[in-house]
Short mmCIF file of all heavy atoms in Angstrom, two decimals:
data_model
loop_
_atom_site.label_atom_id
_atom_site.label_comp_id
_atom_site.label_asym_id
_atom_site.label_seq_id
_atom_site.Cartn_x
_atom_site.Cartn_y
_atom_site.Cartn_z
N LEU A 208 47.32 -33.42 104.95
CA LEU A 208 46.65 -32.52 103.96
C LEU A 208 47.69 -31.56 103.41
O LEU A 208 48.07 -30.57 104.06
CB LEU A 208 45.50 -31.73 104.62
CG LEU A 208 44.32 -32.53 105.21
CD1 LEU A 208 43.31 -31.57 105.84
CD2 LEU A 208 43.65 -33.39 104.14
N ILE A 209 48.16 -31.84 102.21
CA ILE A 209 49.11 -30.96 101.52
C ILE A 209 48.27 -30.03 100.67
O ILE A 209 47.69 -30.45 99.66
CB ILE A 209 50.09 -31.78 100.66
CG1 ILE A 209 50.85 -32.81 101.52
CG2 ILE A 209 51.06 -30.85 99.95
CD1 ILE A 209 51.73 -33.76 100.74
N VAL A 210 48.20 -28.77 101.10
CA VAL A 210 47.29 -27.82 100.41
C VAL A 210 48.10 -26.93 99.46
O VAL A 210 49.06 -26.28 99.88
CB VAL A 210 46.54 -26.97 101.45
CG1 VAL A 210 45.54 -26.04 100.76
CG2 VAL A 210 45.80 -27.89 102.45
N GLN A 211 47.71 -26.95 98.21
CA GLN A 211 48.43 -26.20 97.19
C GLN A 211 47.48 -25.59 96.17
O GLN A 211 46.49 -26.20 95.82
CB GLN A 211 49.40 -27.15 96.41
CG GLN A 211 50.42 -27.84 97.30
CD GLN A 211 51.24 -28.83 96.54
OE1 GLN A 211 50.73 -29.73 95.88
NE2 GLN A 211 52.55 -28.68 96.60
N ASP A 212 47.80 -24.38 95.74
CA ASP A 212 46.98 -23.76 94.70
C ASP A 212 47.67 -23.91 93.35
O ASP A 212 48.90 -23.96 93.25
CB ASP A 212 46.77 -22.27 95.00
CG ASP A 212 48.08 -21.51 95.12
OD1 ASP A 212 49.11 -22.11 95.51
OD2 ASP A 212 48.10 -20.31 94.78
N ARG A 213 46.87 -24.01 92.31
CA ARG A 213 47.41 -24.08 90.96
C ARG A 213 46.54 -23.27 90.01
O ARG A 213 45.34 -23.13 90.21
CB ARG A 213 47.45 -25.55 90.45
CG ARG A 213 48.45 -26.43 91.13
CD ARG A 213 49.88 -26.02 90.82
NE ARG A 213 50.87 -26.95 91.40
CZ ARG A 213 51.36 -26.88 92.63
NH1 ARG A 213 50.94 -25.94 93.45
NH2 ARG A 213 52.26 -27.75 93.04
N LYS A 214 47.21 -22.76 88.95
CA LYS A 214 46.52 -22.12 87.83
C LYS A 214 46.66 -23.09 86.67
O LYS A 214 47.77 -23.54 86.40
CB LYS A 214 47.24 -20.81 87.44
CG LYS A 214 46.65 -19.55 87.99
CD LYS A 214 47.10 -18.33 87.21
CE LYS A 214 48.61 -18.11 87.14
NZ LYS A 214 48.95 -16.84 86.48
N PHE A 215 45.53 -23.40 86.02
CA PHE A 215 45.59 -24.25 84.84
C PHE A 215 45.38 -23.41 83.60
O PHE A 215 44.56 -22.50 83.61
CB PHE A 215 44.51 -25.33 84.89
CG PHE A 215 44.70 -26.38 85.94
CD1 PHE A 215 44.23 -26.21 87.24
CD2 PHE A 215 45.38 -27.56 85.63
CE1 PHE A 215 44.42 -27.18 88.22
CE2 PHE A 215 45.57 -28.55 86.61
CZ PHE A 215 45.08 -28.35 87.90
N ASP A 216 46.12 -23.69 82.53
CA ASP A 216 45.87 -22.98 81.29
C ASP A 216 44.80 -23.73 80.50
O ASP A 216 44.30 -24.77 80.95
CB ASP A 216 47.17 -22.78 80.48
CG ASP A 216 47.74 -24.07 79.92
OD1 ASP A 216 47.02 -25.10 79.91
OD2 ASP A 216 48.91 -24.06 79.49
N GLY A 217 44.43 -23.21 79.31
CA GLY A 217 43.36 -23.80 78.53
C GLY A 217 43.63 -25.24 78.14
O GLY A 217 42.70 -26.01 77.89
N GLY A 218 44.89 -25.64 78.10
CA GLY A 218 45.24 -26.99 77.73
C GLY A 218 45.43 -27.88 78.96
O GLY A 218 46.08 -28.94 78.86
N ASN A 219 44.95 -27.45 80.10
CA ASN A 219 45.08 -28.19 81.38
C ASN A 219 46.50 -28.29 81.90
O ASN A 219 46.78 -29.14 82.74
CB ASN A 219 44.50 -29.61 81.24
CG ASN A 219 43.05 -29.68 81.65
OD1 ASN A 219 42.45 -28.64 81.97
ND2 ASN A 219 42.47 -30.86 81.62
N GLN A 220 47.39 -27.44 81.43
CA GLN A 220 48.77 -27.47 81.95
C GLN A 220 48.90 -26.44 83.07
O GLN A 220 48.14 -25.46 83.10
CB GLN A 220 49.77 -27.15 80.83
CG GLN A 220 49.70 -28.15 79.68
CD GLN A 220 49.79 -29.60 80.15
OE1 GLN A 220 50.75 -29.97 80.82
NE2 GLN A 220 48.77 -30.38 79.85
N PHE A 221 49.83 -26.68 84.00
CA PHE A 221 50.07 -25.70 85.05
C PHE A 221 50.59 -24.41 84.43
O PHE A 221 51.56 -24.44 83.65
CB PHE A 221 51.13 -26.21 86.03
CG PHE A 221 50.65 -27.30 86.96
CD1 PHE A 221 51.56 -28.16 87.54
CD2 PHE A 221 49.29 -27.44 87.27
CE1 PHE A 221 51.16 -29.16 88.41
CE2 PHE A 221 48.87 -28.45 88.14
CZ PHE A 221 49.81 -29.31 88.72
N ASP A 222 49.98 -23.30 84.78
CA ASP A 222 50.46 -22.00 84.34
C ASP A 222 51.38 -21.49 85.44
O ASP A 222 50.94 -21.24 86.54
CB ASP A 222 49.23 -21.08 84.15
CG ASP A 222 49.62 -19.67 83.72
OD1 ASP A 222 50.81 -19.34 83.75
OD2 ASP A 222 48.70 -18.90 83.35
N GLU A 223 52.63 -21.34 85.11
CA GLU A 223 53.63 -20.98 86.10
C GLU A 223 53.88 -19.48 86.18
O GLU A 223 54.73 -19.03 86.93
CB GLU A 223 54.96 -21.69 85.81
CG GLU A 223 54.85 -23.21 85.88
CD GLU A 223 56.09 -23.95 85.40
OE1 GLU A 223 57.08 -23.29 85.01
OE2 GLU A 223 56.07 -25.19 85.40
N SER A 224 53.17 -18.69 85.38
CA SER A 224 53.47 -17.27 85.35
C SER A 224 52.86 -16.53 86.51
O SER A 224 51.84 -16.94 87.09
CB SER A 224 52.97 -16.66 84.02
OG SER A 224 51.58 -16.80 83.93
N ALA A 225 53.50 -15.45 86.89
CA ALA A 225 53.00 -14.65 88.03
C ALA A 225 51.61 -14.12 87.72
O ALA A 225 51.29 -13.80 86.59
CB ALA A 225 53.96 -13.51 88.31
N SER A 226 50.81 -14.02 88.76
CA SER A 226 49.45 -13.50 88.57
C SER A 226 49.48 -12.01 88.38
O SER A 226 50.48 -11.36 88.68
CB SER A 226 48.61 -13.86 89.79
OG SER A 226 48.68 -15.26 90.01
N PHE A 227 48.35 -11.45 87.93
CA PHE A 227 48.24 -10.03 87.64
C PHE A 227 48.72 -9.20 88.82
O PHE A 227 48.14 -9.23 89.90
CB PHE A 227 46.80 -9.71 87.29
CG PHE A 227 46.52 -8.22 87.21
CD1 PHE A 227 47.09 -7.46 86.19
CD2 PHE A 227 45.71 -7.61 88.16
CE1 PHE A 227 46.84 -6.10 86.12
CE2 PHE A 227 45.47 -6.23 88.09
CZ PHE A 227 46.04 -5.48 87.08
N MET A 228 49.78 -8.45 88.61
CA MET A 228 50.33 -7.54 89.60
C MET A 228 50.64 -8.17 90.96
O MET A 228 50.75 -7.48 91.95
CB MET A 228 49.40 -6.34 89.81
CG MET A 228 49.59 -5.36 88.68
SD MET A 228 48.75 -3.80 88.98
CE MET A 228 49.48 -3.24 90.44
N SER A 229 50.77 -9.49 90.98
CA SER A 229 51.11 -10.13 92.26
C SER A 229 52.53 -9.79 92.66
O SER A 229 53.41 -9.71 91.81
CB SER A 229 50.98 -11.64 92.09
OG SER A 229 51.68 -12.30 93.12
N THR A 230 52.76 -9.54 93.93
CA THR A 230 54.14 -9.34 94.42
C THR A 230 54.67 -10.66 94.96
O THR A 230 55.72 -10.69 95.58
CB THR A 230 54.15 -8.29 95.54
OG1 THR A 230 53.30 -8.75 96.59
CG2 THR A 230 53.67 -6.95 95.06
N GLN A 231 53.90 -11.74 94.78
CA GLN A 231 54.29 -13.02 95.35
C GLN A 231 54.39 -14.12 94.30
O GLN A 231 54.40 -15.28 94.62
CB GLN A 231 53.27 -13.45 96.38
CG GLN A 231 53.24 -12.56 97.60
CD GLN A 231 52.10 -12.88 98.56
OE1 GLN A 231 51.73 -12.01 99.31
NE2 GLN A 231 51.57 -14.08 98.52
N GLY A 232 54.47 -13.71 93.01
CA GLY A 232 54.54 -14.71 91.97
C GLY A 232 53.21 -15.34 91.70
O GLY A 232 52.17 -14.67 91.77
N VAL A 233 53.24 -16.66 91.42
CA VAL A 233 52.02 -17.32 90.99
C VAL A 233 51.01 -17.51 92.15
O VAL A 233 51.39 -17.95 93.23
CB VAL A 233 52.36 -18.67 90.30
CG1 VAL A 233 53.07 -19.61 91.28
CG2 VAL A 233 51.14 -19.32 89.72
N ILE A 234 49.76 -17.12 91.90
CA ILE A 234 48.69 -17.38 92.84
C ILE A 234 47.62 -18.16 92.05
O ILE A 234 47.06 -17.63 91.12
CB ILE A 234 48.03 -16.06 93.33
CG1 ILE A 234 49.07 -15.06 93.86
CG2 ILE A 234 46.94 -16.31 94.36
CD1 ILE A 234 49.39 -15.13 95.29
N GLY A 235 47.39 -19.37 92.46
CA GLY A 235 46.44 -20.19 91.71
C GLY A 235 45.02 -19.97 92.14
O GLY A 235 44.76 -19.52 93.25
N ASP A 236 44.05 -20.29 91.25
CA ASP A 236 42.66 -20.14 91.60
C ASP A 236 41.97 -21.46 91.85
O ASP A 236 40.78 -21.53 92.11
CB ASP A 236 41.91 -19.33 90.54
CG ASP A 236 42.06 -19.92 89.15
OD1 ASP A 236 42.76 -20.96 89.02
OD2 ASP A 236 41.51 -19.39 88.20
N GLU A 237 42.72 -22.56 91.75
CA GLU A 237 42.16 -23.88 92.07
C GLU A 237 43.03 -24.53 93.12
O GLU A 237 44.26 -24.38 93.12
CB GLU A 237 42.08 -24.73 90.81
CG GLU A 237 41.17 -24.11 89.77
CD GLU A 237 40.78 -25.07 88.65
OE1 GLU A 237 40.05 -26.04 88.93
OE2 GLU A 237 41.22 -24.84 87.52
N ILE A 238 42.35 -25.25 94.04
CA ILE A 238 43.09 -25.79 95.20
C ILE A 238 43.18 -27.31 95.10
O ILE A 238 42.17 -28.00 94.90
CB ILE A 238 42.37 -25.41 96.52
CG1 ILE A 238 42.18 -23.90 96.60
CG2 ILE A 238 43.18 -25.94 97.71
CD1 ILE A 238 43.42 -23.08 96.65
N LEU A 239 44.41 -27.82 95.23
CA LEU A 239 44.64 -29.25 95.27
C LEU A 239 44.95 -29.61 96.73
O LEU A 239 45.68 -28.90 97.41
CB LEU A 239 45.88 -29.60 94.45
CG LEU A 239 45.84 -29.35 92.95
CD1 LEU A 239 47.26 -29.56 92.37
CD2 LEU A 239 44.86 -30.29 92.28
N VAL A 240 44.37 -30.74 97.16
CA VAL A 240 44.77 -31.27 98.47
C VAL A 240 45.35 -32.66 98.20
O VAL A 240 44.67 -33.51 97.61
CB VAL A 240 43.61 -31.37 99.46
CG1 VAL A 240 44.10 -31.83 100.82
CG2 VAL A 240 42.88 -30.02 99.57
N ASN A 241 46.58 -32.88 98.54
CA ASN A 241 47.29 -34.11 98.22
C ASN A 241 47.20 -34.43 96.73
O ASN A 241 47.15 -35.58 96.33
CB ASN A 241 46.75 -35.30 99.02
CG ASN A 241 46.82 -35.08 100.52
OD1 ASN A 241 47.60 -34.24 100.98
ND2 ASN A 241 46.04 -35.82 101.27
N GLY A 242 47.12 -33.40 95.91
CA GLY A 242 47.02 -33.59 94.47
C GLY A 242 45.60 -33.85 93.95
O GLY A 242 45.42 -34.11 92.79
N THR A 243 44.60 -33.76 94.85
CA THR A 243 43.21 -33.98 94.43
C THR A 243 42.48 -32.65 94.33
O THR A 243 42.48 -31.88 95.27
CB THR A 243 42.47 -34.90 95.42
OG1 THR A 243 43.25 -36.07 95.66
CG2 THR A 243 41.09 -35.30 94.89
N LEU A 244 41.83 -32.47 93.20
CA LEU A 244 41.04 -31.25 92.98
C LEU A 244 39.59 -31.56 93.43
O LEU A 244 39.06 -32.61 93.15
CB LEU A 244 41.05 -30.97 91.48
CG LEU A 244 40.86 -29.58 90.92
CD1 LEU A 244 41.84 -28.60 91.50
CD2 LEU A 244 40.98 -29.64 89.40
N GLY A 245 38.97 -30.65 94.15
CA GLY A 245 37.58 -30.85 94.59
C GLY A 245 37.44 -32.10 95.44
O GLY A 245 36.58 -32.95 95.15
N PRO A 246 38.22 -32.26 96.50
CA PRO A 246 38.24 -33.53 97.24
C PRO A 246 37.19 -33.62 98.33
O PRO A 246 36.77 -32.64 98.91
CB PRO A 246 39.61 -33.51 97.89
CG PRO A 246 39.91 -32.05 98.12
CD PRO A 246 39.21 -31.30 97.02
N TYR A 247 36.77 -34.89 98.59
CA TYR A 247 35.96 -35.15 99.79
C TYR A 247 36.67 -36.24 100.58
O TYR A 247 37.43 -37.03 100.02
CB TYR A 247 34.54 -35.54 99.45
CG TYR A 247 34.40 -36.88 98.78
CD1 TYR A 247 34.38 -38.08 99.48
CD2 TYR A 247 34.27 -36.96 97.36
CE1 TYR A 247 34.28 -39.31 98.84
CE2 TYR A 247 34.19 -38.17 96.72
CZ TYR A 247 34.19 -39.34 97.47
OH TYR A 247 34.10 -40.56 96.84
N PHE A 248 36.42 -36.26 101.89
CA PHE A 248 36.99 -37.29 102.74
C PHE A 248 35.89 -37.82 103.64
O PHE A 248 35.20 -37.07 104.29
CB PHE A 248 38.13 -36.72 103.58
CG PHE A 248 38.80 -37.75 104.46
CD1 PHE A 248 39.66 -38.70 103.93
CD2 PHE A 248 38.53 -37.78 105.83
CE1 PHE A 248 40.26 -39.64 104.73
CE2 PHE A 248 39.13 -38.74 106.65
CZ PHE A 248 39.98 -39.68 106.10
N ASP A 249 35.74 -39.16 103.65
CA ASP A 249 34.74 -39.78 104.50
C ASP A 249 35.37 -40.13 105.84
O ASP A 249 36.22 -41.00 105.93
CB ASP A 249 34.20 -41.06 103.82
CG ASP A 249 33.29 -40.70 102.65
OD1 ASP A 249 32.62 -39.64 102.70
OD2 ASP A 249 33.27 -41.48 101.68
N VAL A 250 34.94 -39.42 106.87
CA VAL A 250 35.48 -39.71 108.19
C VAL A 250 34.79 -40.94 108.76
O VAL A 250 33.65 -41.27 108.37
CB VAL A 250 35.34 -38.50 109.15
CG1 VAL A 250 36.01 -37.28 108.58
CG2 VAL A 250 33.88 -38.20 109.48
N THR A 251 35.44 -41.62 109.69
CA THR A 251 34.83 -42.79 110.33
C THR A 251 34.88 -42.65 111.84
O THR A 251 34.38 -43.49 112.57
CB THR A 251 35.57 -44.08 109.92
OG1 THR A 251 36.96 -43.91 110.20
CG2 THR A 251 35.38 -44.37 108.45
N THR A 252 35.53 -41.62 112.30
CA THR A 252 35.68 -41.43 113.75
C THR A 252 35.21 -40.03 114.14
O THR A 252 35.18 -39.14 113.31
CB THR A 252 37.18 -41.55 114.15
OG1 THR A 252 37.92 -40.57 113.43
CG2 THR A 252 37.71 -42.92 113.83
N ARG A 253 34.88 -39.87 115.42
CA ARG A 253 34.44 -38.54 115.88
C ARG A 253 35.57 -37.54 115.81
O ARG A 253 35.44 -36.47 115.27
CB ARG A 253 33.89 -38.66 117.31
CG ARG A 253 33.23 -37.38 117.82
CD ARG A 253 32.66 -37.57 119.21
NE ARG A 253 33.67 -37.55 120.24
CZ ARG A 253 34.22 -36.48 120.78
NH1 ARG A 253 33.80 -35.27 120.40
NH2 ARG A 253 35.12 -36.56 121.72
N LEU A 254 36.71 -37.92 116.36
CA LEU A 254 37.88 -37.00 116.33
C LEU A 254 38.79 -37.35 115.18
O LEU A 254 39.10 -38.53 114.95
CB LEU A 254 38.67 -37.08 117.64
CG LEU A 254 37.98 -36.58 118.91
CD1 LEU A 254 38.97 -36.63 120.09
CD2 LEU A 254 37.44 -35.18 118.74
N VAL A 255 39.20 -36.36 114.43
CA VAL A 255 40.13 -36.57 113.33
C VAL A 255 41.28 -35.58 113.46
O VAL A 255 41.05 -34.39 113.74
CB VAL A 255 39.43 -36.42 111.95
CG1 VAL A 255 40.43 -36.56 110.82
CG2 VAL A 255 38.31 -37.44 111.80
N ARG A 256 42.48 -36.10 113.34
CA ARG A 256 43.66 -35.26 113.39
C ARG A 256 44.07 -34.94 111.95
O ARG A 256 44.21 -35.84 111.11
CB ARG A 256 44.78 -36.03 114.07
CG ARG A 256 46.16 -35.43 114.12
CD ARG A 256 47.03 -36.51 114.69
NE ARG A 256 48.34 -36.19 115.14
CZ ARG A 256 49.07 -37.03 115.86
NH1 ARG A 256 48.59 -38.22 116.24
NH2 ARG A 256 50.30 -36.71 116.23
N LEU A 257 44.24 -33.66 111.68
CA LEU A 257 44.64 -33.22 110.33
C LEU A 257 46.08 -32.66 110.45
O LEU A 257 46.36 -31.82 111.28
CB LEU A 257 43.72 -32.12 109.82
CG LEU A 257 42.22 -32.50 109.79
CD1 LEU A 257 41.39 -31.27 109.37
CD2 LEU A 257 41.96 -33.66 108.83
N ARG A 258 46.94 -33.16 109.57
CA ARG A 258 48.29 -32.61 109.49
C ARG A 258 48.31 -31.67 108.30
O ARG A 258 48.43 -32.11 107.14
CB ARG A 258 49.33 -33.72 109.31
CG ARG A 258 49.36 -34.68 110.50
CD ARG A 258 50.40 -35.77 110.24
NE ARG A 258 50.34 -36.83 111.24
CZ ARG A 258 51.19 -36.97 112.26
NH1 ARG A 258 52.19 -36.11 112.39
NH2 ARG A 258 51.06 -37.96 113.10
N LEU A 259 48.14 -30.39 108.59
CA LEU A 259 48.04 -29.40 107.53
C LEU A 259 49.42 -28.91 107.12
O LEU A 259 50.24 -28.54 107.96
CB LEU A 259 47.25 -28.18 108.05
CG LEU A 259 45.75 -28.36 108.26
CD1 LEU A 259 45.20 -27.24 109.13
CD2 LEU A 259 45.02 -28.38 106.92
N LEU A 260 49.66 -28.90 105.83
CA LEU A 260 50.90 -28.34 105.26
C LEU A 260 50.51 -27.31 104.19
O LEU A 260 49.81 -27.67 103.25
CB LEU A 260 51.76 -29.45 104.66
CG LEU A 260 52.79 -29.03 103.62
CD1 LEU A 260 53.84 -28.09 104.21
CD2 LEU A 260 53.47 -30.26 103.01
N ASN A 261 50.93 -26.07 104.41
CA ASN A 261 50.78 -25.12 103.30
C ASN A 261 51.95 -25.39 102.36
O ASN A 261 53.07 -24.93 102.56
CB ASN A 261 50.78 -23.66 103.77
CG ASN A 261 50.59 -22.69 102.63
OD1 ASN A 261 50.75 -23.07 101.45
ND2 ASN A 261 50.27 -21.45 102.91
N GLY A 262 51.68 -26.14 101.32
CA GLY A 262 52.72 -26.50 100.34
C GLY A 262 52.67 -25.64 99.09
O GLY A 262 53.16 -26.00 98.04
N SER A 263 52.02 -24.47 99.23
CA SER A 263 51.90 -23.56 98.08
C SER A 263 53.14 -22.73 97.92
O SER A 263 53.89 -22.49 98.87
CB SER A 263 50.70 -22.64 98.30
OG SER A 263 49.52 -23.39 98.36
N ASN A 264 53.36 -22.24 96.70
CA ASN A 264 54.50 -21.36 96.45
C ASN A 264 54.35 -20.03 97.18
O ASN A 264 55.34 -19.47 97.65
CB ASN A 264 54.64 -21.10 94.95
CG ASN A 264 55.27 -22.27 94.23
OD1 ASN A 264 54.93 -23.42 94.52
ND2 ASN A 264 56.16 -21.99 93.29
N SER A 265 53.13 -19.49 97.20
CA SER A 265 53.00 -18.16 97.77
C SER A 265 51.66 -17.87 98.43
O SER A 265 51.53 -16.84 99.08
CB SER A 265 53.27 -17.10 96.70
OG SER A 265 52.13 -16.84 95.97
N ARG A 266 50.68 -18.72 98.25
CA ARG A 266 49.35 -18.40 98.77
C ARG A 266 49.26 -18.68 100.27
O ARG A 266 49.83 -19.65 100.76
CB ARG A 266 48.28 -19.21 98.04
CG ARG A 266 46.87 -18.78 98.36
CD ARG A 266 45.85 -19.66 97.70
NE ARG A 266 45.28 -19.14 96.47
CZ ARG A 266 44.50 -18.08 96.36
NH1 ARG A 266 44.19 -17.37 97.42
NH2 ARG A 266 44.02 -17.72 95.20
N LEU A 267 48.58 -17.79 100.96
CA LEU A 267 48.35 -17.94 102.36
C LEU A 267 46.98 -18.57 102.58
O LEU A 267 46.08 -18.31 101.80
CB LEU A 267 48.34 -16.55 102.96
CG LEU A 267 48.15 -16.39 104.43
CD1 LEU A 267 49.46 -15.86 104.99
CD2 LEU A 267 47.07 -15.38 104.71
N TYR A 268 46.82 -19.41 103.60
CA TYR A 268 45.49 -19.97 103.92
C TYR A 268 45.14 -19.59 105.35
O TYR A 268 45.94 -19.74 106.25
CB TYR A 268 45.49 -21.50 103.79
CG TYR A 268 45.85 -21.95 102.39
CD1 TYR A 268 47.14 -22.33 102.08
CD2 TYR A 268 44.91 -21.95 101.38
CE1 TYR A 268 47.50 -22.70 100.80
CE2 TYR A 268 45.23 -22.30 100.07
CZ TYR A 268 46.54 -22.69 99.80
OH TYR A 268 46.87 -23.05 98.52
N ASN A 269 43.91 -19.09 105.50
CA ASN A 269 43.38 -18.86 106.83
C ASN A 269 42.29 -19.92 107.01
O ASN A 269 41.13 -19.71 106.67
CB ASN A 269 42.83 -17.45 106.93
CG ASN A 269 42.32 -17.12 108.31
OD1 ASN A 269 42.65 -17.81 109.28
ND2 ASN A 269 41.49 -16.10 108.42
N PHE A 270 42.71 -21.09 107.54
CA PHE A 270 41.83 -22.24 107.61
C PHE A 270 40.72 -22.07 108.63
O PHE A 270 40.91 -21.53 109.71
CB PHE A 270 42.62 -23.51 107.96
CG PHE A 270 43.58 -23.95 106.88
CD1 PHE A 270 44.95 -23.78 107.01
CD2 PHE A 270 43.07 -24.55 105.72
CE1 PHE A 270 45.82 -24.19 106.02
CE2 PHE A 270 43.95 -24.98 104.70
CZ PHE A 270 45.32 -24.78 104.85
N GLY A 271 39.54 -22.57 108.23
CA GLY A 271 38.40 -22.59 109.13
C GLY A 271 37.35 -23.51 108.50
O GLY A 271 37.55 -23.99 107.39
N PHE A 272 36.26 -23.73 109.22
CA PHE A 272 35.23 -24.61 108.68
C PHE A 272 34.02 -23.80 108.24
O PHE A 272 33.80 -22.66 108.66
CB PHE A 272 34.86 -25.68 109.70
CG PHE A 272 35.95 -26.69 109.85
CD1 PHE A 272 36.98 -26.49 110.76
CD2 PHE A 272 35.99 -27.81 109.02
CE1 PHE A 272 38.03 -27.40 110.88
CE2 PHE A 272 37.03 -28.73 109.14
CZ PHE A 272 38.06 -28.51 110.04
N SER A 273 33.19 -24.42 107.38
CA SER A 273 32.06 -23.72 106.76
C SER A 273 31.05 -23.30 107.82
O SER A 273 30.29 -22.35 107.61
CB SER A 273 31.39 -24.59 105.68
OG SER A 273 31.21 -25.90 106.17
#
Side-chain angles (χ1 to χ4, degrees):
L208 298 179
I209 303 174
V210 183
Q211 301 176 304
D212 59 330
R213 289 294 184 274
K214 262 200 302 186
F215 289 89
D216 69 14
N219 267 4
Q220 300 308 304
F221 287 157
D222 179 350
E223 298 172 0
S224 61
S226 305
F227 169 67
M228 282 190 59
S229 162
T230 58
Q231 294 172 202
V233 62
I234 309 269
D236 55 359
E237 298 194 67
I238 306 296
L239 297 171
V240 185
N241 302 340
T243 310
L244 205 56
Y247 68 83
F248 181 75
D249 288 329
V250 304
T251 54
T252 58
R253 188 177 76 83
L254 294 185
V255 176
R256 173 188 194 168
L257 305 174
R258 297 180 189 256
L259 289 163
L260 158 63
N261 181 344
S263 297
N264 283 41
S265 85
R266 190 184 262 291
L267 181 113
Y268 300 97
N269 182 18
F270 292 106
F272 288 88
S273 47

